[in-house]
Amino acid sequence: MFFDNFEVREQTLLTPEWVAKKTTFLDWDSQPSLFKHYPHFCYRTPLSDHPSLQWLMESRCITSEQMVAHKPYYRLNVPSAGNLQPIEIYVQIRNIAGLLSGLYHLEVLTQELVLITEIGAAGIEPYLELDHRFTGCIVMLSIVPFRSSWKYGLRAWRYLYLDLGHQIGVLSSSVRHFGLNLTKMFTQGTDALNRVMGMGEDERIVAVYGVGEKSTRLAKRLEEPVMSVQPTDYTMSETLLVDTIKVEPLYNEIPNSMKRDDFLALNRTRRSARGFNSNAMKDTDILALMRIKAHVSLEVIPILLQAHGMQLGLYRNGECTVNGNFNSEVVHLLLDQRFISGSNMVLLIYAVDFKAHSHIEAGMYAQEIYTVCEHLGVGCSGIGAFYDNIGSQWSNNPLLYAVAIGGKL
Ligand SMILES: Cc1cc2nc3c(=O)[nH]c(=O)nc-3n(C[C@H](O)[C@H](O)[C@H](O)COP(=O)(O)O)c2cc1C
């Protein structure tokens, strides 16, 4: 059994009653492992030994490590709801000097490529409607539902796709920075691809891109599934969540992220804001952020909470259409997260359709906002916790996500 889009929204709503009832505290000791680990006997090679793959290394990497309660606490270049990091990356590599052609897992913890299996004429191309071998890389992004549902239950469905959108956004920025392009990949259904890649019930490949080019040599279908490895040290499967994810078609849209010279620095320094200094943000930066285009599936409503000279209130197409101070309403909407009251602007991201792909597009847009904020020296944080029904006061569309933006402390 799986949910349709209407049921998913209904079953993942946050209401004041639900939040008030949820009095249990999480035991962080029981958090499932953040990084998938293939067996020690697999051949490994450090990504830093392969300069032509620097775009891959920069797509997903650890950018901060601290000890919290005697355990390492990692943060990555990609933001993630609750920092639960439910994404894994695989690459089929063909004809890249210095590397055996094969299927690899990107091991983020060690920044290594781990060889799952060598390939020859047979590869995953036929699963992606390609008759010919693809020279270079085919990048596959998977989601691991339990890493997120462990904390968020069924609402994790939303965060998995928002997180994925952030990851696709970073992948696209990284590839562009190095003068390369993403190629769209297609498939009728994702079952066969997932089976051959050894994905079990607890992980699903949901988006695929090429970085390379089609060759003239014919490709054969890799028939034998590769080894299967659990993505977490233990799992408690939320069947409804897993089954709902299974029926989702592959995502393959390419984000419209800008090529940035300072991408490498921004990618390594970016952090989600935990407080704001509203005086430190310029009105010109607010206007620049309002002008960033979102995917057509989305409706973005900026609410200006604090500024030097601009009118406060709700904006549409760069114009203030409803004047007023909405600080307390917006903070309440966003589950009364107090630090948001110090922000200059909150972008409310709605979608015409409440569906997985709109959530991915909301994540991609928010990732571009994160990058531009970091470029401008401004703070921001994605906000996935909100009371859905209160969000409806500003649009007839469902609210998917919000981004709070403000001067850095
Ligand atoms: C989909 C999504 C939802 C988030 N929701 C919230 C939120 O409601 N409140 C908050 O303070 N931070 C939120 N964050 C920010 C995360 O807490 C943050 O990304 C994570 O702790 C990792 O920290 P970093 O972004 O500094 O690396 C969200 C991030 C994402 C991607």
Side-chain angles (χ1 to χ4, degrees):
M1 193 187 118
F2 61 90
F3 283 144
D4 62 23
N5 290 335
F6 176 76
E7 288 166 324
V8 171
R9 179 158 191 272
E10 291 296 300
Q11 295 294 329
T12 58
L13 292 176
L14 275 190
T15 60
E17 296 72 33
W18 188 90
V19 173
K21 266 196 267 160
K22 197 169 167 18
T23 50
T24 50
F25 289 96
L26 280 174
D27 173 7
W28 283 92
D29 265 346
S30 72
Q31 183 178 7
S33 46
L34 276 196
F35 303 109
K36 182 169 178 174
H37 184 72
Y38 275 79
H40 65 90
F41 56 78
C42 295
Y43 169 78
R44 283 147 199 276
T45 177
L47 263 170
S48 54
D49 286 356
H50 307 281
S52 69
L53 292 180
Q54 205 188 336
W55 60 267
L56 182 58
M57 184 155 93
E58 296 297 331
S59 294
R60 192 164 177 84
C61 50
I62 293 171
T63 52
S64 144
E65 183 179 345
Q66 292 165 278
M67 290 302 282
V68 176
H70 309 293
K71 275 181 26 183
Y73 182 75
Y74 300 104
R75 281 177 297 173
L76 307 191
N77 60 329
V78 192
S80 163
N83 197 28
L84 302 178
Q85 301 294 354
I87 312 268
E88 295 288 340
I89 297 186
Y90 302 86
V91 218
Q92 174 178 291
I93 292 181
R94 250 191 211 289
N95 300 342
I96 293 189
L99 275 163
L100 293 168
S101 292
L103 289 167
Y104 290 83
H105 174 236
L106 169 61
E107 193 168 279
V108 172
L109 188 59
T110 54
Q111 283 291 283
E112 288 174 326
L113 279 176
V114 181
L115 183 63
I116 306 170
T117 187
E118 277 188 62
I119 55 158
I124 57 161
E125 286 90 341
Y127 294 92
L128 298 165
E129 300 181 9
L130 292 171
D131 297 332
H132 293 89
R133 299 184 207 174
F134 193 87
T135 301
C137 295
I138 298 178
V139 185
M140 290 162 271
L141 299 110
S142 74
I143 49 180
V144 180
F146 182 54
R147 284 203 197 128
S148 203
S149 66
W150 166 77
K151 179 171 180 193
Y152 295 117
L154 271 183
R155 196 168 168 95
W157 180 91
R158 302 175 182 227
Y159 300 152
L160 290 164
Y161 289 111
L162 290 170
D163 278 10
L164 177 66
H166 278 277
Q167 179 63 77
I168 294 173
V170 178
L171 170 69
S172 161
S173 299
S174 183
V175 163
R176 288 225 164 114
H177 174 78
F178 289 98
L180 301 164
N181 285 309
L182 292 178
T183 306
K184 265 191 179 204
M185 293 283 156
F186 298 87
T187 181
Q188 293 294 333
T190 56
D191 284 349
L193 176 67
N194 274 280
R195 203 175 319 112
V196 79
M197 286 299 296
M199 298 295 124
E201 283 293 291
D202 301 309
E203 186 177 2
R204 190 84 183 166
I205 292 173
V206 283
V208 182
Y209 297 94
V211 181
E213 56 194 16
K214 288 171 203 162
S215 75
T216 51
R217 302 185 71 190
L218 285 174
K220 286 197 201 140
R221 173 184 277 261
L222 186 72
E223 296 291 355
E224 273 298 297
V226 302
M227 77 174 91
S228 207
V229 172
Q230 274 296 112
T232 48
D233 48 354
Y234 80 104
T235 191
M236 288 166 72
S237 194
E238 182 87 72
T239 316
L240 214 45
L241 181 63
V242 168
D243 289 351
T244 302
I245 289 167
K246 265 191 198 161
V247 294
E248 208 53 61
L250 190 80
Y251 191 78
N252 64 2
E253 293 268 322
I254 298 174
N256 206 4
S257 38
M258 275 221 343
K259 184 171 188 309
R260 295 204 164 274
D261 291 341
D262 54 355
F263 165 76
L264 291 182
L266 305 179
N267 191 41
R268 295 270 168 176
T269 53
R270 169 219 73 75
R271 287 272 75 84
S272 297
R274 290 292 163 252
F276 297 103
N277 168 12
S278 58
N279 279 326
M281 184 160 187
K282 293 189 273 197
D283 288 5
T284 46
D285 290 346
I286 293 174
L287 284 167
L289 285 158
M290 278 187 188
R291 280 192 212 108
I292 293 174
K293 289 247 177 308
H295 192 276
V296 287
S297 65
L298 306 175
E299 177 196 23
V300 178
I301 303 185
I303 303 201
L304 194 56
L305 303 178
Q306 275 148 130
H308 293 284
M310 290 173 70
Q311 275 201 321
L312 303 188
L314 191 146
Y315 280 68
R316 282 182 195 271
N317 304 320
E319 299 288 323
C320 183
T321 53
V322 189
N323 190 224
N325 182 346
F326 292 104
N327 200 309
S328 55
E329 278 101 324
V330 169
V331 173
H332 178 54
L333 162 74
L334 304 175
L335 241 70
D336 296 301
Q337 300 183 67
R338 296 307 324 162
F339 78 103
I340 296 166
S341 68
S343 67
N344 294 78
M345 171 166 71
V346 169
L347 301 173
L348 299 178
I349 309 172
Y350 295 86
V352 180
D353 292 315
F354 186 93
K355 57 182 189 181
H357 287 189
S358 315
H359 283 79
I360 299 176
E361 277 136 18
M364 287 176 352
Y365 165 72
Q367 185 56 37
E368 186 66 6
I369 296 287
Y370 260 86
T371 309
V372 176
C373 281
E374 193 61 20
H375 174 76
L376 297 171
V378 167
C380 78
S381 179
I383 305 288
F386 50 81
Y387 296 121
D388 293 84
N389 293 341
I390 301 181
S392 314
Q393 67 182 296
W394 289 300
S395 171
N396 293 328
N397 291 321
L399 180 60
L400 305 193
Y401 196 21
V403 186
I405 300 171
K408 280 195 178 172
L409 278 177

